[in-house]
Amino acid sequence: NNKPLILDENEPIVNIEPEEDGLLEIRYEAVFKSTRSPDVGDPGSIENVIDARGISLTGNWYPGVSGLSSYSLTATLPEGYEAISEADQITKISKDGFVEFYFEFPHPLDGINFVASDRYSVLSDNFNSTEIYTYFFEEDSGLAGEYIEFTKRYLKLYEDIISKYPFSRFSIVENFLPTGFSMPTFTLLGSSVVRLPFIVETSLGHEILHQWFGNLVYIDGEGGNWAEGLTTYLADHYYKELEGSGWKYRKQIMVDYMSYLNEENDFPVKDFRRRFDHASSSVGYGKAAMVFHMLNNKLGKDKFYSALRNFIMINRYQKASWNGLKSSFEESYGGKLDHFFSQWLDLPGLPEVTLHGTDLRSHEDGFELSFSIKQNGDLYELDVPVTIYTNGIGSKRFFRVTEEMNDFSVFISNEPDKIIIDEDYDIARRLLEGEFPPVIAGILSSKDLVISLPETGANIYSGVVEEFKGRGAESKRAGEITYSTIKSSSVIVPGYDNPLISKLFGRLNTPDAGFSITVKKNPWNPDRVIGIFHGRSDEEVEAGLRKMDHYGKYSEVYFEGGKNIYKFIDDSQRGIAMELKENVPAVDLSTVSSLGHVIEKVSEKKIIYVGEFHDVFSHHAVQLDIIRNIFQKNNNMAIGMEMFQRPFQKILDDYIAGIIDEREFLSLSEYYKRWRFDYNLYKPILRFARANGIPVVALNMDREIIDKVSKNGIGSLTESERKRVPADMDFSDSEYMERISGVFRYHNDWKEKNFDYFYQSQILWDETMALSIDDFLKMNPAKQMIVIAGQGHLQFGSGIPKRAFRRNGETYSIILIDASLIDGIADHVVFPKPVEGITSPRLMVFLNIDEENLKISGFPEKSISEKAGLQAGDIIISMDGQSTSSIEDVKIHLLYKKSGDVVKVKVLRSEENRQEEIEYKVRL
């Protein structure tokens, strides 16, 4: 009998008694409309939608039955639609302008989902007995091939270590909503996710692994969500492990945990159900992944994977809990694991271990190393890894720690260098101060937060102040913030001119970015941080601030127009280390000589390389000293300079020959656009070369080509560009690659660049300069050359010197300035006294080119030009009567001014539909 059912929207569960035959038929109608945009990866915010974009039904879109059930789904859609749901087999029948879809899945399910669109382009392939499909929108169909190939790799990977893929088909489905789900037989990824270039190497494998954990073995919500931690461990973490950086991933888990969790929001792993913020993710994904890592180390790889295979076999198409996992691991282990699971699942927080009482004693046949490991807080049973290094080679052992203080002794044949506890982050633990870098998450999650109100630019930083007030921060003027407040708090400092900066750090360089966040350790309390926010305008601040929560793991980030251009994590200690044998550097003062002696020793070399830090005047004074002295000995010489690019050689030649003056030279060589360092640094060298007719060789490759290679690799160059690339390039110096890799990691202003491309651009840079040297010397075989370049291109000879030597075999010497005294870094290192150089005065305006006009876009604080009367929007016409149409023109004009000079700036100003020319006097 048909009976209407009245539903209470506040009570989603209804008990219904079936008829006598046991059958219950429910008919219902529903309309699904989108009302808000969901957050990626937050299932609670995803709504069921049917509209012009397509169909996405992933929530409560039908009367669900509690518990596992078998489902049969039929859908009728207009011709041209493609549809997907949980199915081992999908049958399509076209009829009268419609198509019927039949979805067959012969196993019980927790629930079903349904997605459809008339924009899908379907591509298929297979791996062994598994059919692989992609359902991508037409505009993204070009990505399908790559997704299929990566899917094959993941299926092979997991079939080899876990078990055969459980279904007959797997589909990657693009969604118009920003989802990131995995369901039995398919994964549903939003368009914004699908198009990210790194997804195939990261998230895709994670979602495929969920086919086993979560979609073959279901999650028993009452017993805790184990699947996210296990999938994170065998996917995201495993991929890093294959790259050799698994320890970094595990360390980041601990950094995140300590950043986002505190006594108020911490909870046990067993209570995790789903991710809803950074804190919950750190428990259910991060800490849970570490539980599996510690199990892997405890059981060994073979028993660990055997336990997982057994767990899958027993629990196929059933709900399983942590207890089910425990039983499988105990069977494989051959013993009870009650204490292991109870301490890691039932207790919130992390244990803390420290190294104490390290002592080394010599014996007749070796050495006895004694040390103690102390636990602070709750006592755990831990297998603590300890690596003992001898002659630079480490040997790892695990030590059982159960008490508050645990004493150990180890006998070693050779004298050890150092001991490190948990250098690979094999146990979930609290990081010590030296291991923990200051990161943005430290201010996002701080409960004791103070804002040092800006004294200038309040309008620029109003968004920062309001944002952190909303997070519970207290605001005070800088003068009101006491040291006791600083010691007990993390502090938000808007603006590098905030008085609190000088109070804490003396002076800091202002980042060259539209908006930046820099996090430093609080000098008064290393457990707290100082977050420095700086912006050029309120628009830049607002655009960057919206992205802040996505960069919690970084110490420093820069943005331009809301787009990240730089991100960096401060160095931190790896593991808990103790040096056992101090390697004390020493210098034999009897061998210390003068710069004159160094010049004498290198004077006969065909090529003399002299390094520099580009912005240090004393370095350029040393370079000029060397050039003068070598010129006195041999006036048949040339100077090679990294600062100039090969296409501008004719301009350099004309300047040296006296055909053009310095202003023309700087303009035509595009010096300020392509090098940008103050020309006063190099002016004495160039003027000496001009006065004495010394050829100056432009060594560098065009900046446009270097930038293009760093973004997309050498393969992206056009045919004409390839002709300008050296044919002979050496990529085989592995030590140099490692150093370049360090530069890439720690000075990552290359955005999300591929390291291979970055390395290619670096080699292209070096090889071009080596080629330029070689070309010149081949055409001028009697010449001697002094090469001026950044120290990084010269250290250990790896950058330019060895590459030029490979080409010509000419003798050379390397002189570095203020460099570390490391064996092999150079032939000579000199340490000059500081030199105060004269720099060009600044007009103190922000300039941009607007429709070929040089327009003032704004002013820094305390601008002399703004004080003189110039306004934002003014177009600069001339300076001291000289036409000025580019930023470079301004810089060149100011080069010939000194502090205190008055410059006449004529501008065109538009006001109330009229324009007028106005001249202002600006005292520099």
Side-chain angles (χ1 to χ4, degrees):
N1 296 325
N2 292 330
K3 297 179 180 179
L5 183 63
I6 306 301
L7 297 177
D8 181 354
E9 63 180 15
N10 296 317
E11 180 51 63
I13 299 176
V14 178
N15 292 319
I16 303 175
E17 292 292 333
E19 299 296 330
E20 292 182 1
D21 59 4
L23 295 177
L24 176 66
E25 181 176 332
I26 300 174
R27 297 176 182 273
Y28 77 105
E29 293 182 0
V31 176
F32 302 107
K33 296 180 179 179
S34 178
T35 58
R36 64 189 177 96
S37 180
D39 298 323
V40 178
D42 180 3
S45 70
I46 301 300
E47 299 182 42
N48 301 310
V49 177
I50 300 176
D51 61 19
R53 295 171 295 173
I55 302 171
S56 179
L57 303 176
T58 59
N60 295 318
W61 60 280
Y62 61 91
V65 180
S66 61
L68 299 176
S69 304
S70 295
Y71 292 85
S72 176
L73 176 63
T74 301
T76 302
L77 297 171
E79 193 75 51
Y81 271 77
E82 292 288 350
I84 190 78
S85 184
E86 291 80 354
D88 256 351
Q89 183 176 341
I90 301 176
T91 303
K92 294 167 50 179
I93 299 177
S94 297
K95 184 179 179 181
D96 299 330
F98 291 90
V99 58
E100 286 191 348
F101 293 86
Y102 299 89
F103 301 96
E104 299 178 24
F105 192 78
H107 309 289
L109 284 163
D110 230 351
I112 56 175
N113 303 272
F114 182 73
V115 180
S117 175
D118 60 353
R119 296 191 291 132
Y120 281 140
S121 173
V122 182
L123 186 68
S124 66
D125 203 336
N126 63 77
F127 172 79
N128 292 340
S129 59
T130 303
E131 294 293 327
I132 303 171
Y133 294 85
T134 56
Y135 291 73
F136 282 5
F137 299 139
E138 190 64 41
E139 60 267 29
D140 297 319
S141 59
L143 302 172
E146 183 180 29
Y147 270 82
I148 287 175
E149 289 307 310
F150 271 90
T151 297
K152 292 179 182 179
R153 296 183 203 177
Y154 290 123
L155 291 177
K156 182 178 188 313
L157 170 66
Y158 291 123
E159 286 192 351
D160 287 347
I161 64 176
I162 300 175
S163 64
K164 180 172 171 46
Y165 177 71
F167 310 119
S168 62
R169 60 181 285 150
F170 177 73
S171 303
I172 305 105
V173 184
E174 184 175 2
N175 194 11
F176 56 85
L177 295 176
T179 50
F181 295 146
S182 181
M183 299 84 160
T185 72
F186 73 102
T187 182
L188 183 61
L189 303 176
S191 296
S192 59
V193 176
V194 165
R195 294 164 188 163
L196 295 173
F198 55 84
I199 290 298
V200 290
E201 297 181 0
T202 54
S203 300
L204 177 61
H206 183 107
E207 302 303 335
I208 289 174
L209 183 56
H210 266 310
Q211 295 299 304
W212 283 269
F213 302 121
N215 294 330
L216 174 60
V217 180
Y218 304 128
I219 301 165
D220 181 356
E222 295 300 315
N225 183 342
W226 49 269
E228 293 300 351
L230 180 54
T231 305
T232 297
Y233 180 60
L234 291 181
D236 311 67
H237 165 267
Y238 187 64
Y239 309 148
K240 294 298 182 183
E241 192 83 300
L242 293 175
E243 295 174 4
S245 58
W247 70 269
K248 291 183 179 179
Y249 188 93
R250 295 189 292 273
K251 181 177 182 179
Q252 189 60 50
I253 286 175
M254 264 72 84
V255 170
D256 290 344
Y257 195 99
M258 292 178 62
S259 295
Y260 291 113
L261 287 145
N262 52 59
E263 292 182 357
E264 295 180 15
N265 65 358
D266 204 349
F267 62 94
V269 170
K270 69 175 183 179
D271 292 341
F272 172 74
R273 299 295 182 267
R274 69 174 183 86
R275 172 177 59 191
F276 53 86
D277 59 13
H278 289 296
S280 59
S281 177
S282 294
V283 174
Y285 288 68
K287 183 179 177 180
M290 287 300 300
V291 172
F292 290 105
H293 182 68
M294 291 182 288
L295 274 170
N296 196 351
N297 285 335
K298 188 177 186 68
L299 275 67
K301 183 171 66 174
D302 292 342
K303 290 184 178 180
F304 178 79
Y305 285 112
S306 175
L308 290 180
R309 288 190 287 269
N310 184 55
F311 173 70
I312 292 171
M313 181 180 66
I314 293 173
N315 296 284
R316 294 168 68 88
Y317 306 111
Q318 298 180 55
K319 291 187 176 184
S321 66
W322 278 104
N323 285 333
L325 275 165
K326 175 176 170 290
S327 297
S328 291
F329 280 112
E330 285 181 335
E331 182 177 344
S332 184
Y333 179 58
K336 288 293 184 180
L337 293 169
D338 293 337
H339 195 276
F340 177 90
F341 276 91
S342 64
Q343 69 183 8
W344 292 115
L345 300 187
D346 298 346
L347 294 176
L350 297 173
E352 180 179 301
V353 297
T354 51
L355 178 61
H356 294 268
T358 306
D359 183 57
L360 185 66
R361 295 184 180 182
S362 176
H363 292 271
E364 289 184 4
D365 54 351
F367 296 85
E368 180 186 8
L369 173 62
S370 300
F371 59 92
S372 299
I373 298 176
K374 181 183 178 183
Q375 287 196 69
N376 301 313
D378 291 329
L379 294 183
Y380 284 69
E381 290 183 2
L382 303 172
D383 295 312
V384 178
V386 177
T387 307
I388 301 170
Y389 280 87
T390 302
N391 296 324
I393 299 173
S395 174
K396 184 192 290 187
R397 314 179 192 187
F398 285 83
F399 292 83
R400 189 73 171 165
V401 171
T402 58
E403 306 296 331
E404 181 178 354
M405 185 68 76
N406 305 261
D407 302 322
F408 303 98
S409 290
V410 180
F411 289 91
I412 307 167
S413 299
N414 299 309
E415 184 179 5
D417 307 323
K418 62 182 175 181
I419 178 175
I420 305 180
I421 288 180
D422 196 26
E423 70 172 338
D424 292 325
Y425 299 93
D426 289 315
I427 55 175
R429 62 179 177 84
R430 294 190 64 81
L431 303 181
L432 302 187
E433 177 191 334
E435 299 176 280
F436 199 96
V439 292
I440 292 171
I443 53 176
L444 298 181
S445 59
S446 177
K447 297 299 180 184
D448 302 305
L449 199 58
V450 175
I451 306 169
S452 175
L453 292 172
E455 294 194 358
T456 59
N459 61 317
I460 293 178
Y461 299 111
S462 60
V464 174
V465 173
E466 292 306 313
E467 171 69 27
F468 285 98
K469 277 187 176 180
R471 294 174 183 255
E474 180 184 4
S475 61
K476 295 184 177 183
R477 297 180 64 84
E480 298 172 343
I481 300 177
T482 64
Y483 283 117
S484 61
T485 299
I486 295 171
K487 188 171 183 178
S488 62
S489 310
S490 289
V491 187
I492 300 297
V493 184
Y496 272 76
D497 57 354
N498 193 298
L500 197 65
I501 292 290
S502 58
K503 188 174 182 179
L504 292 174
F505 304 107
R507 183 180 178 184
L508 295 173
N509 292 325
T510 304
D512 183 15
F515 176 65
S516 66
I517 307 173
T518 303
V519 180
K520 294 182 172 293
K521 285 198 173 183
N522 187 328
W524 294 94
N525 185 347
D527 292 331
R528 299 288 188 267
V529 293
I530 308 296
I532 307 168
F533 291 71
H534 192 82
R536 294 197 190 113
S537 65
D538 55 344
E539 292 86 358
E540 285 280 5
V541 171
E542 182 182 354
L545 204 59
R546 287 197 296 266
K547 305 289 184 67
M548 176 176 61
D549 281 293
H550 299 294
Y551 293 87
K553 75 179 197 179
Y554 295 101
S555 307
E556 190 167 22
V557 290
Y558 297 172
F559 297 90
E560 287 287 350
K563 184 177 181 180
N564 177 247
I565 60 171
Y566 175 77
K567 55 191 177 185
F568 175 73
I569 302 175
D570 275 358
D571 293 340
S572 57
Q573 180 179 311
R574 178 175 174 178
I576 305 169
M578 180 71 71
E579 295 288 340
L580 302 173
K581 184 169 60 175
E582 187 177 2
N583 185 17
V584 181
V587 176
D588 183 355
L589 293 178
S590 66
T591 66
V592 174
S593 60
S594 65
L595 177 59
H597 180 69
V598 170
I599 293 171
E600 195 65 39
K601 289 192 69 173
V602 304
S603 62
E604 298 301 318
K605 302 292 184 180
K606 184 72 171 178
I607 308 172
I608 303 168
Y609 296 97
V610 188
E612 65 176 57
F613 293 140
H614 299 310
D615 57 353
V616 179
F617 275 96
S618 61
H619 290 200
H620 302 293
V622 169
Q623 291 170 336
L624 183 56
D625 234 358
I626 293 171
I627 291 169
R628 281 174 173 156
N629 279 275
I630 295 297
F631 182 73
Q632 290 176 3
K633 296 174 180 292
N634 175 21
N635 60 16
N636 193 14
M637 62 171 286
I639 303 170
M641 297 187 71
E642 175 195 0
M643 302 78 210
F644 298 99
Q645 297 165 20
R646 287 161 64 96
F648 300 93
Q649 184 61 57
K650 176 68 164 57
I651 308 302
L652 266 172
D653 293 343
D654 287 349
Y655 173 66
I656 297 299
I659 298 172
I660 59 176
D661 64 18
E662 194 171 56
R663 285 178 180 270
E664 290 177 283
F665 160 61
L666 292 172
S667 177
L668 295 174
S669 68
E670 300 180 10
Y671 174 85
Y672 283 105
K673 183 185 295 184
R674 294 177 175 272
W675 190 245
R676 297 179 178 172
F677 287 94
D678 194 325
Y679 182 68
N680 285 289
L681 293 157
Y682 300 97
K683 182 169 65 177
I685 294 173
L686 271 297
R687 286 186 174 180
F688 181 82
R690 176 183 169 104
N692 293 281
I694 302 172
V696 176
V697 182
L699 300 181
N700 221 332
M701 171 62 77
D702 311 33
R703 181 178 170 185
E704 293 84 353
I705 293 180
I706 294 291
D707 289 346
K708 189 172 183 179
V709 171
S710 74
K711 291 177 182 176
N712 300 303
I714 292 176
S716 68
L717 297 179
T718 65
E719 185 175 348
S720 62
E721 288 169 338
R722 284 177 182 270
K723 291 178 181 178
R724 299 161 73 175
V725 171
D728 183 7
M729 295 197 293
D730 181 11
F731 290 88
S732 66
D733 189 336
S734 59
E735 292 182 1
Y736 187 48
M737 177 186 281
E738 183 60 29
R739 289 198 295 276
I740 294 300
S741 177
V743 172
F744 179 78
R745 290 193 305 268
Y746 297 123
H747 299 86
N748 191 14
D749 56 352
W750 300 87
K751 304 179 184 178
E752 297 292 333
K753 295 294 180 70
N754 180 299
F755 171 70
D756 291 340
Y757 298 161
F758 177 78
Y759 185 54
Q760 287 176 17
S761 70
Q762 188 69 30
I763 296 301
L764 176 57
W765 196 343
D766 292 327
E767 291 285 5
T768 299
M769 290 193 280
L771 178 63
S772 300
I773 294 166
D774 186 52
D775 284 347
F776 180 83
L777 292 178
K778 280 189 169 76
M779 295 180 64
N780 303 273
K783 293 281 187 186
Q784 183 180 27
M785 181 178 279
I786 296 177
V787 174
I788 295 173
Q791 315 239 89
H793 294 289
L794 307 181
Q795 292 173 353
F796 302 98
S798 301
I800 307 172
K802 290 180 181 178
R803 299 174 192 279
F805 183 80
R806 188 185 79 237
R807 296 173 185 279
N808 55 36
E810 298 285 3
T811 60
Y812 68 87
S813 241
I814 302 172
I815 302 172
L816 298 182
I817 308 173
D818 291 330
S820 300
L821 297 177
I822 303 173
D823 185 37
I825 195 171
D827 297 300
H828 307 278
V829 178
V830 298
F831 298 94
K833 293 181 179 179
V835 172
E836 290 293 329
I838 298 174
T839 58
S840 299
R842 296 187 303 141
L843 205 55
M844 298 183 72
V845 294
F846 297 132
L847 298 172
N848 58 40
I849 301 296
D850 183 8
E851 298 179 355
E852 299 185 358
N853 293 318
L854 185 61
K855 181 177 285 189
I856 298 174
S857 60
F859 304 91
E861 294 295 329
K862 301 178 182 179
S863 167
I864 56 175
S865 292
E866 187 177 26
K867 182 179 179 181
L870 275 71
Q871 297 179 8
D874 287 348
I875 296 172
I876 297 180
I877 301 172
S878 66
M879 297 173 67
D880 294 329
Q882 296 183 8
S883 176
T884 307
S885 60
S886 70
I887 295 172
E888 289 70 36
D889 287 345
V890 174
K891 290 184 177 181
I892 292 171
H893 191 80
L894 293 175
L895 176 67
Y896 300 96
K897 299 292 181 180
K898 62 182 182 294
S899 180
D901 285 352
V902 174
V903 60
K904 297 177 182 177
V905 181
K906 182 178 287 187
V907 299
L908 179 65
R909 180 173 297 167
S910 300
E911 288 183 333
E912 298 180 355
N913 298 320
R914 64 186 182 89
Q915 292 183 327
E916 63 174 325
E917 293 184 2
I918 311 172
E919 185 172 86
Y920 292 95
K921 294 180 179 180
V922 180
R923 185 172 296 278
L924 301 173

